[in-house]
Amino acid sequence: MNFADFSLDPRLNAAVDAVGFETPTPIQEQAIPLVLAGRDVLGLAQTGTGKTAAFALPILQRLTTGPLRKVRVLVVAPTRELAEQIHQTFGDLGQNLKVTSTPIYGGVSKRPQLAALRRGVEIVVACPGRLLDHIGEGDIDLSNVEVLVLDEADRMCDMGFLPDIRRILKHLPSQRQTLFFSATMPDDIRTLSAEILNNPATVQIGMIAPAETVSHAIYPITDKLKNKLLLEMLKQTATGRVLVFTRTKRRARNLALLLSNEGYNSTALQGNMAQNRRQASIDGFRDGKFDILVATDIASRGIDVTEISHVINFDIPDTVDAYTHRIGRTGRAEQSGDAFTFVTDTDEPMVRDIEKVLGEPLERRRLPDFDYGDFVPERQTAIAQAQQNGTGSSRNRRGGRNPVVNSDRSPRSGGGVNRGSRKSWSGGPRQQRSPGTRRSG
Ligand code: AMP
């Protein structure tokens, strides 16, 4: 199948060519015809599948006819970064149309948003809080909304936005098309989707398993040795752009500072930073000014930076879903990438949960030529495996004898942008540094 099969407006096909998409991704193949036909859609898809274009293209097709300068499309997203990214996708794909979109989120001045709304826009991509502010102040008329998109609904729920969403819904016409995207379906998301979708078509793409182009490995370590391990790993590994995840904002800030002091071009992305500094970090990472971005989960949502060669989980995430989202940052759009996770003994239950979803064990590695001191990674592995087999003092929260074998999800149901062959999992990091990650001097 190719994009021409959707019979989109030639100006949209030209934009698709201009952004370099050659063939539709699986979610685009499935969702675009449904959205064009006016159906409500429940999209179970993670980031990295091409879901933004899957809704943006048919929405832009709709906007090729009908009135201009009225808000006809409302997209609600959990974070500013994701809202920016969606806004940019509308801009890229709508580059040959007269249609305009505006992002609306907090942490920045309201004035430019107000000016855009007064000039008249067709598409608003908003985070819930600031949108409600504008609604409350009578700045925005949502009575002409024809299409509502809720993106990353599960994340909005995690972030406590559900009451806000319900408030926003009250301001929308009940006659509309609704597109609802979520990577997972916890109960309250299922309830919400049932309430607001009208006879929806369900599109499910690679719901949980991370992109197939990513090779995963874990490095048993202690908390104290993590900084040193990271520095040694960066020294030994041929890396391009590296995204490092930490559990807390403070750790992200401190680690980015440490890396800068060690001569790496690095920056942080965490929720305590003002919006303009966050955007400068993302832009700098995208443009190559920074080789290493140290981020927390929430701040990193929706970072659309291609060619990330390595995701390093300095701290293991709290949920399998967060692991999937982090890993979704690498191996995107015809790239392949490595995902390294530092694991302390208390992280082992989470490792088992991740392995269960992946459907296979994560390769455990020891970094060659690294001074582990008294710590023996193989001992942590042996204890973890004994616990898993029920021969140690069990910390297995699931109680399963072998979560890998008992996997109840189809491993890698596929559907990522690139479904090329997986990289080999053998071998440690490569031994030379690429020109990609360079020290600044
Ligand atoms: P998304 O899941 O919307 O965040 O998209 C993930 C990445 O895939 C983005 O960098 C898109 O630009 C890219 N992408 C989307 N559709 C395609 C396509 N048909 N071919 C190649 N890359 C794509």
Side-chain angles (χ1 to χ4, degrees):
M1 177 164 220
N2 58 51
F3 282 98
D5 298 329
F6 298 127
S7 302
L8 295 168
D9 188 288
R11 290 168 293 175
L12 288 173
N13 285 332
V16 166
D17 278 348
V19 297
F21 296 172
E22 284 172 8
T23 47
T25 66
I27 194 168
Q28 290 162 0
E29 268 185 31
Q30 292 180 46
I32 290 175
L34 292 164
V35 182
L36 285 173
R39 291 284 303 272
D40 279 8
V41 170
L42 175 60
L44 298 171
Q46 67 191 56
T47 309
T49 53
K51 71 182 157 69
T52 316
F55 63 77
L57 279 171
I59 284 176
L60 287 165
Q61 175 70 31
R62 170 191 281 262
L63 297 179
T64 57
T65 56
L68 293 176
R69 294 173 189 274
K70 291 176 189 304
V71 180
R72 294 171 60 192
V73 176
L74 174 66
V75 183
V76 185
T79 63
R80 309 157 194 190
E81 284 76 18
L82 184 61
E84 262 311 320
Q85 184 195 321
I86 296 168
H87 161 69
Q88 275 165 19
T89 302
F90 273 113
D92 290 344
L93 296 174
Q95 57 182 278
N96 303 318
L97 306 181
K98 290 214 174 74
V99 169
T100 46
S101 112
T102 193
I104 286 196
Y105 45 74
V108 294
S109 162
K110 273 188 189 158
R111 246 185 289 153
Q113 301 174 359
L114 215 51
L117 292 171
R118 293 214 175 110
R119 274 195 306 274
V121 293
E122 294 76 32
I123 304 164
V124 167
V125 186
C127 295
R130 178 58 67 88
L131 177 62
L132 279 169
D133 287 353
H134 282 294
I135 292 174
E137 285 159 28
D139 303 335
I140 184 165
D141 175 9
L142 295 175
S143 66
N144 297 298
V145 169
E146 298 166 27
V147 186
L148 167 70
V149 182
L150 290 182
D151 199 12
E152 301 204 346
D154 49 352
R155 186 63 42 171
M156 289 203 269
C157 179
D158 288 350
M159 292 169 72
F161 283 143
L162 228 46
D164 286 354
I165 303 287
R166 291 188 186 282
R167 252 175 259 142
I168 292 165
L169 287 168
K170 291 200 183 110
H171 295 271
L172 301 175
S174 52
Q175 275 289 337
R176 57 160 201 264
Q177 183 178 21
T178 305
L179 313 175
F180 190 107
F181 291 89
S182 196
T184 57
M185 281 302 259
D187 284 348
D188 22 11
I189 288 300
R190 195 174 296 279
T191 310
L192 179 70
S193 69
E195 275 169 36
I196 66 172
L197 291 166
N198 179 17
N199 185 27
T202 301
V203 174
Q204 181 163 353
I205 301 291
M207 182 169 160
I208 285 277
E212 289 174 55
T213 46
V214 179
S215 74
H216 309 253
I218 59 178
Y219 286 83
I221 195 68
T222 62
D223 216 34
K224 276 207 177 117
L225 284 172
K226 280 182 175 180
N227 282 352
K228 276 195 191 152
L229 181 69
L230 179 66
L231 290 173
E232 185 60 28
M233 183 177 269
L234 290 170
K235 208 155 87 182
Q236 289 189 16
T237 310
T239 52
R241 278 200 193 104
V242 183
L243 184 51
V244 180
F245 282 99
T246 62
R247 191 170 291 138
T248 65
K249 301 173 198 170
R250 211 168 125 206
R251 276 168 92 109
R253 193 191 58 203
N254 292 344
L255 197 54
L257 277 175
L258 171 77
L259 293 173
S260 296
N261 290 338
E262 289 291 325
Y264 289 97
N265 295 318
S266 66
T267 186
L269 181 69
Q270 41 89 2
N272 283 347
M273 291 160 61
Q275 179 58 23
N276 58 351
R277 288 194 48 224
R278 286 203 214 183
Q279 198 60 48
S281 287
I282 295 179
D283 292 345
F285 189 49
R286 186 182 291 126
D287 302 344
K289 181 174 166 202
F290 302 117
D291 301 311
I292 306 176
L293 180 69
V294 187
T296 55
D297 283 303
I298 291 202
S300 76
R301 293 295 290 195
I303 300 176
D304 184 24
V305 178
T306 49
E307 293 170 27
I308 290 176
S309 67
H310 290 72
V311 168
I312 299 178
N313 293 315
F314 187 83
D315 297 312
I316 201 167
D318 292 334
T319 62
V320 180
D321 190 32
Y323 181 83
T324 303
H325 276 103
R326 289 181 180 187
I327 299 319
R329 311 284 113 199
T330 186
R332 307 184 98 190
E334 294 168 32
Q335 305 282 332
S336 58
D338 289 327
F340 298 149
T341 303
F342 293 1
V343 169
T344 64
D345 57 350
T346 54
D347 298 332
E348 291 290 349
M350 183 49 64
V351 171
R352 287 197 283 277
D353 286 352
I354 293 167
E355 289 177 330
K356 193 174 177 196
V357 170
L358 285 174
E360 53 195 317
L362 292 163
E363 186 200 338
R364 287 168 178 268
R365 289 185 188 166
R366 165 194 255 275
L367 191 68
D369 302 326
F370 175 67
D371 180 8
Y372 280 90
D374 295 339
F375 177 69
V376 184
E378 292 75 16
R379 196 179 305 145
Q380 182 177 313
T381 297
I383 293 170
Q385 279 164 355
Q387 284 167 354
Q388 185 175 349
N389 295 331
T391 52
S393 61
S394 180
R395 260 199 258 145
N396 183 346
R397 284 177 293 158
R398 303 259 167 143
R401 277 173 51 80
N402 183 345
V404 177
V405 174
N406 289 344
S407 171
D408 57 5
R409 287 184 203 275
S410 60
R412 294 201 172 74
S413 41
V417 168
N418 178 3
R419 286 186 292 153
S421 60
R422 294 185 62 229
K423 293 168 73 182
S424 153
W425 285 21
S426 61
R430 286 146 288 181
Q431 295 292 318
Q432 91 267 21
R433 182 201 300 275
S434 80
T437 302
R438 57 194 177 273
R439 287 165 189 253
S440 50

